[in-house]
Amino acid sequence: MCAATSPAVKLHDETLTYLNQGQSYEIRMLDNRKMGDMPEISGKLVKSIIRVVFHDRRLQYTEHQQLEGWKWNRPGDRLLDLDIPMSVGVIDIKTNPSQLNAVEFLWDPGKRTSAFIQVHCISTEFTPRKHGGEKGVPFRIQVDTFKQTENGEYTDHLHSASCQIKVFKPKGADRKQKTDREKMEKRTAHEKEKYQPSYDTTILSEMRLEPIIEDAVEHEQKKSSKRTLPADCGDSLAKRGTCSPWPDTPTAFVNNSPTPTPTFTSAQHSTYSVPDSNSSSPNHQGDGTSQGSGDQLQPSATIQETQQWLLKHRFSTYTRLFSNFSGADLLKLTREDLVQICGPADGIRLYNALKSRSVRPRLTIYVCQEPLRSIQLERQQDATNGDNSNGAIYVYHAIYLEEMAASEVTRKLALVFNIPLHQINQVYRQGPTGIHILVSDQMVQNFQDESCFLVTTIKAENGEGFHIILK
């Protein structure tokens, strides 16, 4: 690509190129075959698809929603266009209204071919806060090339390459390039050795072809389907990101019907489907059963157990997105990752569910069932005789109240002491001179936190049910 790389990139990092919004940049389509390689395409046309995609792995998960939001704010515009008058050697150019970030064309590898592209989105349009061009998200220019099969369709993958870019408002890229150059000039000779020089042109790095593990049903439907991964896909994802795979069918531009929801690859070569942009927060519970270890998702959970956990905790909308995640994979995601993938509301909810963060109780009280009177007399007699072997041990139970209400106290007491809830008539608190005071909502709201009570049960006057007395 005929655009200079930034001089402010460290030696072992990927090159970064700054582009101006709407300006035409030449991509030279070169035949880099070795002598005797792939003679079947000599003298024949191949098809290339150029796309602008997200560099950041977290944004790749939500690419569909991000592009839909951009389309809503910029009706009638495209993210990527081909400057046809300036392009040379390109044939049968197609753009699909449902693929605003891609163009395709045919070309002859034996002839000089140049495609001039225009990127209309700027990097700051996809940041939560608009800081300016320097804080914008990086994109990738990706070129996928296919040869013709026996049935005449261009579906046989030949080559893929990509580079990292940032897009600024008109003339912003030139200013940024100048700023980077001036910063480097101020550095010492020793510091400059740690940075790459600025090259006049940007080389699109080749990406190797890798098959992706898919669900059984999808595998049967797409036996011949493959994806591309960058050659350095296993390197630091936080630093380099991953390249986006091409759409499921390279012929999608010929067909005007909407293309399937895009899929994205992880370093483990798994495929994830992104939920539709109009999908709402999950609001119903699935029929899945939880794994044997309880509500908390364990690192040892299989993919199937992880799917069941998501269903049980009302994350059914995201089961397809995490269709190849094990428990360990899901638990490795940070809070920021989940917010980017699922949105703020569901992302925080999923993070709290994964970390088993329960709701903090508004009030904690401790209760102990008072021993029967006969046992108390026996212990007193033993103490009088000097036998302390039967010393009284009072074991308390903690009751955590999420609601400051008398009904909540009654329900929790019934659970702790195994008393059927319908058999508890009233709950009293023993007051001065032994009087019994009915426990009301107002009384519960005035309980001191971590209060201790002895609990006594007495039969109701009519013989039906019990009264509970807190002492």
Side-chain angles (χ1 to χ4, degrees):
M1 182 167 66
C2 297
T5 61
S6 168
V9 177
K10 292 191 175 180
L11 276 177
H12 301 292
D13 287 352
E14 186 178 12
T15 60
L16 175 61
T17 304
Y18 303 131
L19 304 183
N20 288 315
Q21 179 188 27
Q23 183 173 326
S24 295
Y25 291 91
E26 179 185 7
I27 296 180
R28 293 177 184 172
M29 312 297 292
L30 304 175
D31 184 358
N32 60 356
R33 288 179 296 163
K34 294 178 182 178
M35 187 69 70
D37 277 0
M38 293 182 285
E40 67 274 11
I41 68 169
S42 297
K44 294 185 178 180
L45 298 176
V46 295
K47 178 168 76 172
S48 287
I49 301 174
I50 301 178
R51 290 189 295 148
V52 56
V53 295
F54 290 114
H55 172 79
D56 192 331
R57 176 170 59 110
R58 290 179 295 180
L59 285 173
Q60 288 178 12
Y61 284 119
T62 57
E63 182 179 87
H64 183 67
Q65 291 96 317
Q66 297 285 349
L67 298 188
E68 283 296 314
W70 189 90
K71 180 180 177 181
W72 177 265
N73 292 323
R74 302 269 297 272
D77 289 348
R78 292 183 56 82
L79 283 87
L80 182 70
D81 269 326
L82 198 65
D83 191 339
I84 298 175
M86 294 188 67
S87 299
V88 177
V90 295
I91 307 167
D92 195 17
I93 301 162
K94 290 187 176 66
T95 56
N96 191 331
S98 64
Q99 292 282 340
L100 301 179
N101 63 329
V103 294
E104 74 163 46
F105 53 85
L106 302 180
W107 61 285
D108 186 346
K111 297 180 180 179
R112 175 175 173 258
T113 304
S114 290
F116 282 78
I117 62 165
Q118 298 171 337
V119 183
H120 298 293
C121 56
I122 60 175
S123 294
T124 52
E125 288 184 285
F126 298 96
T127 52
R129 298 176 184 174
K130 303 298 185 289
H131 294 290
E134 291 185 342
K135 299 295 182 181
V137 301
F139 301 118
R140 300 192 73 82
I141 296 293
Q142 182 169 328
V143 183
D144 302 307
T145 303
F146 306 86
K147 67 179 180 180
Q148 199 171 21
T149 59
E150 294 178 356
N151 59 10
E153 295 181 357
Y154 291 91
T155 55
D156 195 351
H157 178 261
L158 281 175
H159 182 267
S160 289
S162 69
C163 67
Q164 183 183 192
I165 64 168
K166 274 193 175 183
V167 185
F168 296 77
K169 290 182 177 180
K171 297 186 179 179
D174 307 313
R175 289 193 294 270
K176 176 61 176 166
Q177 187 79 356
K178 181 182 177 183
T179 302
D180 284 359
R181 189 167 57 249
E182 290 172 349
K183 285 181 179 178
M184 293 307 300
E185 288 172 356
K186 293 177 183 177
R187 294 183 182 273
T188 63
H190 178 69
E191 289 176 328
K192 288 180 182 178
E193 291 176 358
K194 299 177 182 178
Y195 290 85
Q196 302 178 20
S198 176
Y199 300 101
D200 292 336
T201 59
T202 302
I203 303 298
L204 276 69
S205 303
E206 185 175 356
M207 299 151 50
R208 69 174 181 266
L209 182 67
E210 292 285 356
I212 296 299
I213 300 171
E214 297 176 328
D215 292 340
V217 176
E218 292 179 354
H219 180 70
E220 290 299 320
Q221 293 173 347
K222 300 183 260 182
K223 282 185 179 177
S224 62
S225 174
K226 293 188 176 181
R227 302 286 183 272
T228 57
L229 291 175
D232 58 359
C233 186
D235 292 347
S236 169
L237 286 175
K239 180 177 71 176
R240 303 288 294 273
T242 58
C243 289
S244 176
W246 63 79
D248 285 335
T249 18
T251 55
F253 296 89
V254 181
N255 183 2
N256 289 326
S257 61
T259 56
T261 304
T263 57
F264 304 101
T265 59
S266 75
Q268 290 76 24
H269 300 170
S270 299
T271 301
Y272 314 114
S273 298
V274 176
D276 295 335
S277 59
N278 60 356
S279 61
S280 59
S281 173
N283 55 10
H284 62 277
Q285 183 170 340
D287 296 328
T289 57
S290 70
Q291 51 186 344
S293 56
D295 282 348
Q296 187 174 2
L297 182 67
Q298 299 298 319
S300 58
T302 63
I303 292 174
Q304 185 180 1
E305 288 172 338
T306 303
Q307 291 286 298
Q308 292 172 346
W309 184 90
L310 288 167
L311 286 169
K312 183 177 185 295
H313 289 80
R314 297 178 292 112
F315 294 105
S316 57
T317 304
Y318 304 104
T319 52
R320 289 191 63 201
L321 174 62
F322 298 117
S323 60
N324 283 287
F325 275 65
S326 65
D329 295 333
L330 204 56
L331 288 166
K332 285 177 184 175
L333 295 177
T334 64
R335 184 177 185 273
E336 291 73 22
D337 290 336
L338 292 169
V339 168
Q340 283 278 2
I341 295 167
C342 306
D346 286 338
I348 294 171
R349 191 168 70 87
L350 179 54
Y351 177 78
N352 289 338
L354 288 170
K355 303 303 177 184
S356 294
R357 294 193 173 188
S358 56
V359 178
R360 184 178 178 85
R362 298 178 65 185
L363 180 70
T364 302
I365 61 174
Y366 304 110
V367 294
C368 172
Q369 190 163 18
E370 189 175 38
L372 296 175
R373 185 167 182 77
S374 59
I375 296 176
Q376 286 181 320
L377 291 173
E378 184 180 336
R379 284 175 177 164
Q380 289 174 2
Q381 186 177 359
D382 290 339
T384 304
N385 296 333
D387 184 2
N388 294 320
S389 60
N390 290 323
I393 298 177
Y394 294 95
V395 179
Y396 283 80
H397 300 272
I399 289 181
Y400 303 103
L401 301 177
E402 284 81 29
E403 295 179 26
M404 305 285 278
S407 58
E408 179 81 347
V409 173
T410 306
R411 187 174 65 83
K412 292 293 178 73
L413 288 171
L415 288 172
V416 167
F417 296 114
N418 272 335
I419 303 172
L421 183 60
H422 67 275
Q423 290 190 14
I424 300 177
N425 293 347
Q426 297 291 349
V427 178
Y428 301 103
R429 181 177 182 180
Q430 186 168 297
T433 66
I435 63 173
H436 294 163
I437 307 165
L438 183 66
V439 173
S440 63
D441 292 348
Q442 190 173 4
M443 180 183 286
V444 174
Q445 291 162 12
N446 283 279
F447 277 172
Q448 286 188 355
D449 197 27
E450 298 194 327
S451 298
C452 299
F453 297 100
L454 286 175
V455 175
T456 303
T457 57
I458 59 173
K459 277 213 173 247
E461 298 81 1
N462 56 7
E464 295 180 2
F466 301 91
H467 298 314
I468 292 180
I469 302 172
L470 304 178
K471 298 183 179 179

